[in-house]
Amino acid sequence: MPVRTPALKPASTALCLISVLAGGLVLLPCAPASAGTVAHPRVVSARPVATTPHVLDGIVNAFALVGRTVVVGGEFGEVREARGTTTLRRRNLFAFDLVTGRVDPRFAPEVDGPVRALAAGPGGTVYVGGGFASAGGPGSGPDSGSGSGSGDTQSLARLSVADGSPAPGFAGRIRGGEVSSLVLQGSKLYVGGDFDGVGQTSRPALARLDAATGELDPAFTVTPGGPRGGTLKVYAMAATRDRLAVDGSFTTLDGRRRPQVGLIDIGAARPAVAPWHTEAYADACKDAFPSYVRGLDFSPDGDYFVIVTTGGAKGTSKLCDSAARFETYSRGAAIRPTWINFTGGDSLYSVAVTGAAVYVGGHQRWLDNPRGSDTAGPGAVSRPGIGAIHPATGKALTWNPTRDRGIGVKAFLAHKGGLLVGSDTTHLGHEYHARVGMFPLP
């Protein structure tokens, strides 16, 4: 099938971020940094900036950018500024200034469980999803209106970035599980995870809420079904102008066969499963990974998206341990990928598509490795822990900053000034950058 490189769209001027020119920091007009919405004219630098703070333990799972404040979520307890010596206690959530790297002393909410997902909200707020019973400042417990109620597990909150307190009026009550993915699209908040419902209404694994109030949107009823391995779960989501892509442990959406991935038409008055179907993820990989899809992201123009997987080396007949591009508006009984890039046996967890590159992260050793099986096969290129793929050809770009592999990259966020990277290890681009780093756009 012919492949075209997506055109870059002009950005709005809503926010101010940074770029690096001639070694200095400058402010640029830019668009809000949501996954899949920020186009880059070129590949980011392979040398990280020196200002990002260090997370001293655990793992970073998610980023959100609110103005020029970076909110960081994961499972950790201590952070330190890049040029500082003081260890700061921050339980699973903190914020820092994108330009200076200074950790925000006002934003120190207590989150009593892991943070899995973040989304920048309106009015200087951030949506926080994960596996926690409470989140926020003093008085943010079950009766504070921050998202929890009788019989609920919370797992979702909306916080003020100014001071970490719960945003008034938001009461998104998640019941019976965790939140693993959040997507804000206009006035709607899409929530994915392994939960049972919202409030007293059954909504297994996927729901749409009013972004202001957290109330369940009754017009959105698309329901995943047929879990693989016993647990129904939405792992990752991304949205473009009229499509929501979801992947996870399911085989159907509203009873229609959609093994591990599907598209939902969210441009309609009543959202419905889109006529897009692939069998590419129907086959099993290893028994330990009954569901092996992980991250996904749309291109900035929405014309295509890329999915990354775990699963183990299984040759080229299955999409285990791979990155694959799919065209958003393709039709047919069994849509095939436009291209596939195999690691040869190592997991990929995260992907960010900027138009100039498809960034992938995990604990991979190689890219371009279809004939490798925990080995470097013919044509394999070394890309430890992080790499970039050409959007049109599907081949690895020369960009190769390297990182300590560990578990892997769990978070990317492309913004107008570069690419944020979150993981569980301490070296990125041959330098010490503990669990958080940023590659600037030259």
Side-chain angles (χ1 to χ4, degrees), residues 130-181:
F132 47 83
S134 66
S140 62
D143 299 320
S144 67
S146 60
S148 186
S150 177
D152 301 324
T153 54
Q154 187 165 347
S155 299
L156 177 65
R158 182 184 178 194
L159 305 180
S160 166
V161 173
D163 59 8
S165 64
F170 185 83
R173 297 183 294 274
I174 301 300
R175 185 185 76 248
E178 296 191 0
V179 171
S180 56
S181 184

Side-chain angles (χ1 to χ4, degrees), residues 200-381:
Q200 300 306 308
T201 304
S202 176
R203 282 291 188 277
L206 181 63
R208 188 168 79 176
L209 311 182
D210 182 284
T213 66
E215 293 297 319
L216 182 68
D217 183 350
F220 185 92
T221 59
V222 176
T223 303
R228 296 170 64 116
T231 301
L232 188 67
K233 181 175 182 177
V234 169
Y235 279 105
M237 300 186 297
T240 185
R241 51 189 175 270
D242 61 355
R243 292 290 186 268
L244 177 73
V246 297
D247 73 24
S249 177
F250 56 83
T251 55
T252 64
L253 290 175
D254 272 357
R256 302 175 68 178
R257 183 169 169 80
R258 296 293 186 270
Q260 296 200 81
V261 61
L263 297 181
I264 300 169
D265 182 355
I266 56 174
R270 193 167 191 90
V273 180
W276 185 99
H277 169 228
T278 184
E279 290 289 310
Y281 300 101
D283 292 336
C285 291
K286 289 184 177 179
D287 291 343
F289 302 103
S291 177
Y292 51 90
V293 294
R294 291 299 183 262
L296 63 81
D297 195 24
F298 277 107
S299 62
D301 63 8
D303 283 353
Y304 69 93
F305 60 100
V306 177
I307 299 173
V308 295
T309 65
T310 182
K314 292 292 180 181
T316 58
S317 63
K318 302 177 181 180
L319 269 60
C320 319
D321 291 338
S322 72
R325 168 176 166 162
F326 292 88
E327 308 309 306
T328 306
Y329 298 99
S330 291
R331 289 176 177 265
I335 295 165
R336 293 296 301 168
T338 304
W339 52 251
I340 309 166
N341 195 304
F342 290 96
T343 69
D346 294 325
S347 299
L348 297 174
Y349 297 116
S350 296
V351 57
V353 183
T354 66
V358 175
Y359 299 98
V360 295
H363 59 248
Q364 81 276 12
R365 288 163 284 182
W366 308 283
L367 291 175
D368 293 356
N369 195 23
R371 290 195 280 173
S373 181
D374 282 324
T375 58
V381 296

